[in-house]
Amino acid sequence: MRRLTIHDLDDCVRLAKDRNWPPEEHKWRLLFDIGEPYGIDAPDGDGLAACNVLTCYGDGHAVISMVLTASRYSRQGLGRALMRHVLDQAGDRTVFLHSTGQGRPLYEQLGFRAVGRVAKHTGVFAGEPSGLTRPATEADLDAILALDAEVFGMDRSAALRRMFTFGERVRVAAGGFGQCWRNDDNTVIGPVVAGDEETARALIGDLALDAGGEVRMDFDLAHESVIRWAGEHGIGEPWEVALMVRGDDLPGDRSRQFLPFMQALG
């Protein structure tokens, strides 16, 4: 059990493919930069047997992502052992993650509880520019960081400061911002933070039009009317996961959290 380095990236991608996950190399590189990847070397000497990533948001919060165990080592307790290890590294922080139905029993045994639902939606967006948003510049970054900290109640600045290099586009509007970033064969829209639904729709639609082709949106299912609107514009095929928390309740204003940064980053 050890802290991984960028030299382990190829083995992480191989592990993802082994479990029929997309390779997501662009996302992995970001996580190696801002997070703490951990892994267990495969006893047979062939890559990794298990891995996950802990990303800390200041001293109070952390998210665990990319939880994977090689298919040939499944049900041998490696994933559980690695989860316990990263929870020890998280210390007293409130920890959250997104879980499939398959992983949920393990997380509940480790003290997590479900507090919401998120669903991945994909499609080709059909619509017109809103006229309510504009491309962001580096000069907008301080205002974006302040708004994000207010809405999420935690320090996500390490990830957000990379929006202009990691992402494809960043847009701002009155009381809101959003970005999109390329991930394998589609473009992910998120985060999108907005003070009202009209602004959220404008940011989402304009980012999707900027991206062109297939886009992915990970909606908080509490935003039912925005999801219906997205469906009317070609975005569907939902795949649902649970938002789970260990420790205190998550802070912030979820009514303004229309899309997360990505499921892997909360």
Side-chain angles (χ1 to χ4, degrees):
M1 196 175 299
R2 62 181 175 87
R3 175 81 175 263
L4 303 180
T5 73
I6 193 64
H7 300 294
D8 297 296
L9 174 62
D10 288 346
D11 285 333
C12 291
V13 170
R14 286 179 56 207
L15 189 52
K17 290 179 178 178
D18 174 65
R19 300 315 300 247
N20 296 315
W21 283 27
E24 299 187 302
E25 184 173 331
H26 188 45
K27 183 197 292 187
W28 276 108
R29 288 187 179 277
L30 176 67
L31 291 169
F32 269 91
D33 187 21
I34 67 171
E36 302 175 18
Y38 293 91
I40 298 175
D41 291 309
D44 61 9
D46 186 13
L48 293 171
C51 71
N52 59 28
V53 181
L54 175 71
T55 304
C56 295
Y57 293 144
D59 295 329
H61 301 88
V63 58
I64 297 175
S65 60
M66 312 308 264
V67 180
L68 288 161
T69 301
S71 56
R72 66 189 187 281
Y73 291 112
S74 62
R75 300 187 181 279
Q76 295 184 29
L78 297 183
R80 179 190 299 271
L82 196 55
M83 280 293 298
R84 290 189 182 279
H85 179 71
V86 298
L87 288 172
D88 286 343
Q89 306 310 305
D92 294 332
R93 292 178 176 87
T94 294
V95 182
F96 61 106
L97 52 77
H98 290 92
S99 171
T100 63
Q102 182 178 5
R104 183 166 172 172
L106 168 61
Y107 301 137
E108 288 176 339
Q109 292 168 19
L110 293 172
F112 287 85
R113 65 189 185 280
V115 297
R117 297 178 299 154
V118 175
K120 177 184 77 173
H121 293 69
T122 58
V124 178
F125 185 85
E128 300 294 330
S130 71
L132 299 176
T133 77
R134 64 169 174 82
T137 69
E138 293 279 358
D140 295 301
L141 184 57
D142 286 345
I144 288 172
L145 294 179
L147 178 59
D148 189 83
E150 174 189 342
V151 171
F152 283 88
M154 62 186 76
D155 180 9
R156 309 196 315 161
S157 60
L160 294 176
R161 287 185 184 281
R162 291 157 173 79
M163 285 197 303
F164 292 96
T165 53
F166 175 80
E168 298 269 311
R169 298 283 192 281
V170 184
R171 282 189 168 270
V172 292
F177 73 91
Q179 80 152 351
C180 61
W181 54 279
R182 188 70 185 170
N183 189 42
D184 296 336
D185 58 355
N186 62 29
T187 300
V188 181
I189 310 295
V192 171
V193 169
D196 55 68
E197 187 172 313
E198 180 184 11
T199 303
R201 291 184 182 189
L203 287 164
I204 293 168
D206 289 351
L207 287 165
L209 291 171
D210 283 348
E214 184 174 270
V215 295
R216 167 180 166 176
M217 306 176 189
D218 295 343
F219 282 108
D220 184 328
L221 294 187
H223 295 293
E224 295 179 0
S225 57
V226 177
I227 295 171
R228 285 196 300 271
W229 165 82
E232 293 166 358
H233 290 77
I235 308 300
E237 301 183 7
W239 181 69
E240 185 177 325
V241 296
L243 171 62
M244 304 190 74
V245 176
R246 183 179 188 264
D248 295 336
D249 292 337
L250 289 177
D253 180 359
R254 290 184 63 186
S255 71
R256 290 186 283 169
Q257 301 172 20
F258 286 89
L259 294 172
F261 186 40
M262 61 180 78
Q263 284 189 14
L265 294 178

